[in-house]
Amino acid sequence: MKIRRISAAVAAVSAGALVLTACSGPAQESEIEGTTSVNVGWNEPFRSTNNLTANGNATANANIVYLTTSFFNYYDGDLNLAKNEEFGSYEVVSEDPFTVKYTVNEGVTWSDGTPVDAADMILFWGAQNDMFDTVAGGDVPTDADGNAEVPAGEVYFDSSSPAMNQITTFPEIGDDGRSVTYVYDSPRSDWEVSMNQPSPVAAHVVGKIALGVEDPTEAKAAVEDAFENNDAEALAKIADTWTNAFNFTSLPDDPDLYLSYGPYVISDYVENQYLTLTRNESFNWGPEPKVDSITIRYTEDPLASVTALQNGEVDLIAPQSSVDVLATLDGIDGVSYTTAPEGTYEHVDLTFDNGGPFDPATYGGDAEKARLVREAFLKTIPRQEIIEKLIQPLQEDAKTRDSFLFVPGSPGYDEVAAGSGADAWAEVDIAGAQALLAQAGVATPVDVRFLYGKSNVRRANEYQLIAASAAQAGFNVIDNGDDTWGSILGNGTYDAALFGWQSTNTFILNAEANYITGGQNNYGGYSNPEVDALWAEVGTNTDSAREVELATQIEQKLNADAFGVNIFQFPGVVAHRDVLQGVSTIALSPTIFWNYWDWEISASDSLDAPSASESE
C-alpha cells in the first residue's frame, strides 16, 4: 500500500475526485493598463509544486498548481465539463480496448522555453502507476516527520492512481512527440478527468536532477526510456526526485523546481507569510489573466482574514464561516460577500492500523472487538448538537450530511443516505456505546488521540463537544490538536481525525482512493476486499441507476465497519473588496480561483495593498 504521510488541509472528494480537475476558459485580452495585483487570503501555506504526491495532495497546493499549469478540460461556472482546445485535445480512438489519445498543441512550453510534450504525459502516467514500484508502501519506513525512507535502490513513487493503474502497456508516442495514446486494460467511467494534464512538474527537470542529463531533450528521452524499459536503477532515482525534490516552504534557489506552463509563475515565497505569482509572458494557450500578479497571504484564523480584508491587506478571502465572521463582514464598507454551501464536508475518520483502540492488532487480531469499539465511539459523536450550535447560526436550514459519496441535494443522495445505515449515527447513544464496550470486554476509560486544526476555532469547538459526549460512554478523548495537522495525516500518531474533503469533480468514482485498500487518501489504513470489489465495478459502470445501487452497498459496508462518520457540508462565505471585480466561486476545487481570467480592477479604483516584499 502507499504511504499516506501527508495530505490536505482541505483535501479532495465528496461526490468528487482526489486529483485536481482545474479549468480554463476563453482567452481574453487585458483591459487594464499598467501593473495590477490582487492579494488573496488563504488558510494553509503552499508546500509542493507536485500535487500528485501524498505530500502534495492539498488544496493549498492545488490552487497554485492550477495557476501555474494548464489542463485539457475544466469545469465552468455551471459545473459542466468543457474542453480547453487552446491547450490541447483528446479523443477516444477505440472503445475496445478503451483507448484515448492526448495531444498538446504546438507552441505550449514550460517557462524556461522547453516544450510541454509526451515526456510530461508519460511522467504523469508512470509516476502514478504502481506497477513500477519495487517496494510496497507498507514496507517503507518513515522518519520522525512521517517522510518515507525508501531503501536504497528501490523504486517508490509516493502516489497512486486507480485509473493510471489500468494502463499497463507503455503508451504510444506520436505527432513529433506531442501526443500520447493510452490503452486501458478495462474502461474507466471517469477517464475524462483522470488524465487531465501532462504533469505538474517538468519531465526534463526530473531527468536533469535524477539522472544528471543537462540537455532538456535528452533528459526527457531518458525519463521516457526508464519507464518504457522498466529500468529499476533509473526509476529509483526518478521516483526519489519526483516524490521529494519539488517540496518547499520558501522560494528555492533553483527555478527549475517551480517552472510553469500556465498563466502565472511563482516569483516570491516567504515561509508561512505569502507566495506571489506574476504573469507568464509567454502564455497564450488558455484564458489570459487581466491581473499582473497574485499574492496568496496565509493565516489559519478566519477573523484575522476578515481583518486583513478590512485593512486592505488582502482583496479576496474565503474564510471558514462563523457568526463573528459574518457580523464583521456586515460592518465593512466597500466589501461584498456571498454565502452558500461549499463542496467541502466535515467528517471524522478512525485509524485501523496504528496499534490504537480501533486497530484489531490491539486485541490480538480480533477484528470484531475492534469494530465494536469503533462503533461505540461513533455513537457518541454529537452530530446534531454540532449542527445546531455551530452551523445553523450560519445556515438556518443546515442538516447533517449522511452520505460518504454524494453531496446533499445531488441526484442519488436521498436514496443512498436512506439505505446506507447512516441512521446508526443519527443521534447520540451513550447507553448503546457503553453496551458495545461491555460486549467487547474493553476496560474503560479508552484513550482516543484526536487530531484537528488547533487554531481553527470551529474545529476546536467541535473537539470539545465530541470529547464531552464521548467521556460519558467511557472514552478519554485526548487533545491532539495541531496546526500542522495536514502534514500528520496518515502517520499513525492519532486515532481519530477531524478534517474536510473537498470536491474536485462530479464523478463519484474518484472517491475510491479514500476507501480502497492502499488508497492514497485512505489515511486510516481501512481495508475491506468486498468494498474493493464494488469500487472495481463502479469503475466500468455507465448505468446511473446501477451506480446508486453500488454506492449504497459501499456505504452500507463503510457504516457496518464503523469507518467513520460525516457531520456537515461547509457553510461557505466568499468576500472581496468592491474594487476587485469578476469574483466568482464554484463548489469544486479550485473554488475562488477557477475564473482568475475574469478578475479585474475597476477603472476608477486601485488596490492599495502592501507589496509582496513586506512582512506581516
Side-chain angles (χ1 to χ4, degrees):
M1 64 183 281
K2 294 289 186 182
I3 291 178
R4 290 154 301 280
R5 48 192 172 85
I6 300 178
S7 183
V10 184
V13 102
S14 62
L18 309 178
V19 178
L20 176 66
T21 300
C23 73
S24 303
Q28 302 181 31
E29 295 295 325
S30 174
E31 300 173 0
I32 303 297
E33 301 212 357
T35 300
T36 55
S37 63
V38 171
N39 286 258
V40 182
W42 199 257
N43 67 338
E44 184 194 21
F46 169 86
R47 61 177 178 266
S48 181
T49 51
N50 189 357
N51 67 323
L52 300 181
T53 67
N55 176 48
N57 181 27
T59 299
N61 299 330
N63 293 339
I64 306 305
V65 170
Y66 176 71
L67 295 169
T68 58
T69 62
S70 297
F71 300 82
F72 287 106
N73 55 39
Y74 65 95
Y75 279 101
D76 64 19
D78 296 320
L79 301 186
N80 296 313
L81 192 63
K83 294 182 177 181
N84 175 20
E85 295 180 342
E86 294 179 78
F87 170 71
S89 62
Y90 58 92
E91 61 178 330
V92 176
V93 296
S94 172
E95 293 287 350
D96 186 16
F98 188 70
T99 307
V100 186
K101 179 181 179 180
Y102 292 85
T103 305
V104 177
N105 292 342
E106 289 190 70
V108 176
T109 66
W110 291 91
S111 49
D112 66 353
T114 303
V116 177
D117 57 20
D120 300 301
M121 291 184 275
I122 293 295
L123 180 60
F124 179 97
W125 160 74
Q128 297 184 90
N129 195 315
D130 294 343
M131 72 179 185
F132 293 105
D133 290 344
T134 62
V135 59
D139 298 327
V140 177
T142 58
D143 60 21
D145 297 321
N147 297 312
E149 294 183 325
V150 182
E154 299 287 357
V155 180
Y156 182 72
F157 291 93
D158 195 12
S159 185
S160 182
S161 164
M164 296 303 100
N165 286 336
Q166 286 296 314
I167 304 168
T168 56
T169 58
F170 188 79
E172 177 186 346
I173 298 173
D175 295 282
D176 295 324
R178 291 187 295 104
S179 73
V180 166
T181 300
Y182 296 103
V183 179
Y184 285 78
D185 295 342
S186 59
R188 287 280 301 185
S189 59
D190 69 339
W191 67 270
E192 198 168 5
V193 294
S194 294
M195 195 291 181
N196 66 337
Q197 71 171 141
S199 173
V201 297
H204 69 281
V205 173
V206 172
K208 174 182 177 182
I209 297 173
L211 306 176
V213 182
E214 293 289 335
D215 179 78
T217 300
E218 294 178 2
K220 287 191 288 187
V223 170
E224 292 174 357
D225 290 346
F227 284 110
E228 183 172 16
N229 300 316
N230 200 0
D231 182 344
E233 181 178 357
L235 288 176
K237 299 174 183 178
I238 290 171
D240 179 66
T241 298
W242 187 86
T243 298
N244 301 308
F246 299 92
N247 304 329
F248 53 87
T249 55
S250 61
L251 194 70
D253 293 332
D254 185 357
D256 282 350
L257 300 180
Y258 53 94
L259 293 182
S260 167
Y261 60 99
Y264 290 95
V265 182
I266 298 173
S267 57
D268 195 12
Y269 186 21
V270 176
E271 186 167 2
N272 293 323
Q273 294 186 40
Y274 61 82
L275 181 148
T276 297
L277 306 112
T278 56
R279 286 188 64 165
N280 180 358
E281 296 301 330
S282 65
F283 177 80
N284 62 4
W285 45 84
E288 297 184 32
K290 301 176 181 180
V291 172
D292 295 296
S293 69
I294 299 173
T295 294
I296 318 295
R297 296 181 178 274
Y298 300 110
T299 179
E300 176 80 12
D301 186 345
L303 280 174
S305 292
V306 176
T307 299
L309 183 70
Q310 184 175 24
N311 294 340
E313 297 168 11
V314 297
D315 312 302
L316 171 62
I317 60 174
Q320 187 177 89
S321 185
S322 71
V323 172
D324 290 338
V325 163
L326 297 182
T328 305
L329 288 171
D330 274 335
I332 304 177
D333 292 332
V335 166
S336 299
Y337 73 92
T338 59
T339 60
E342 294 181 357
T344 304
Y345 70 96
E346 195 84 315
H347 59 100
V348 174
D349 287 357
L350 306 185
T351 304
F352 288 63
D353 61 354
N354 68 339
F358 307 131
D359 182 355
T362 300
Y363 312 105
D366 190 332
E368 177 61 13
K369 179 175 288 191
R371 191 197 66 79
L372 291 171
V373 177
R374 292 195 302 271
E375 183 179 351
F377 182 72
L378 295 184
K379 281 182 174 293
T380 71
I381 295 179
R383 300 165 72 228
Q384 195 59 44
E385 184 181 11
I386 289 172
I387 295 291
E388 293 174 358
K389 290 184 175 179
L390 303 180
I391 308 305
Q392 287 182 346
L394 312 176
Q395 181 188 332
E396 291 183 359
D397 61 348
K399 298 179 181 178
T400 57
R401 171 169 169 146
D402 297 320
S403 171
F404 290 99
L405 306 180
F406 287 88
V407 174
S410 65
Y413 174 82
D414 290 338
E415 183 177 349
V416 171
S420 69
D423 56 349
W425 330 120
E427 301 290 343
V428 170
D429 183 3
I430 299 301
Q434 291 172 329
L436 288 171
L437 291 176
Q439 180 181 345
V442 175
T444 58
V446 177
D447 288 343
V448 176
R449 297 166 295 176
F450 197 88
L451 177 66
Y452 66 97
K454 197 171 186 66
S455 294
N456 187 308
V457 176
R458 185 163 76 200
R459 284 184 173 150
N461 289 335
E462 289 179 70
Y463 161 73
Q464 293 292 341
L465 293 173
I466 291 170
S469 178
Q472 299 177 56
F475 290 98
N476 175 34
V477 184
I478 300 168
D479 187 343
N480 262 35
D482 194 312
D483 286 340
T484 63
W485 66 271
S487 64
I488 294 171
L489 285 174
N491 73 358
T493 61
Y494 61 89
D495 307 306
L498 174 73
F499 63 106
W501 286 123
Q502 184 183 78
S503 304
T504 61
N505 72 47
T506 57
F507 295 85
I508 73 160
L509 177 60
N510 287 18
E512 71 178 324
N514 287 27
Y515 310 113
I516 61 169
T517 301
Q520 181 170 326
N521 295 325
N522 181 355
Y523 301 111
Y526 172 74
S527 179
N528 183 326
E530 294 179 342
V531 171
D532 294 346
L534 287 168
W535 276 117
E537 186 173 349
V538 170
T540 58
N541 173 71
T542 58
D543 181 348
S544 59
R546 179 58 178 159
E547 180 175 85
V548 169
E549 294 174 2
L550 293 169
T552 301
Q553 293 178 46
I554 289 170
E555 297 208 20
Q556 287 172 344
K557 295 185 184 301
L558 291 173
N559 284 310
D561 290 340
F563 171 89
V565 68
N566 304 309
I567 307 179
F568 58 84
Q569 208 73 24
F570 275 31
V573 58
V574 175
H576 64 93
R577 297 176 67 197
D578 290 340
V579 293
L580 176 60
Q581 300 178 349
V583 171
S584 178
T585 189
I586 58 175
L588 302 173
S589 176
T591 61
I592 59 174
F593 295 96
W594 83 271
N595 67 329
Y596 63 83
W597 59 88
D598 286 329
W599 294 0
E600 63 179 320
I601 297 155
S602 59
S604 60
D605 294 286
S606 62
L607 296 178
D608 298 321
S611 69
S613 61
E614 295 177 11
S615 61
E616 295 182 332

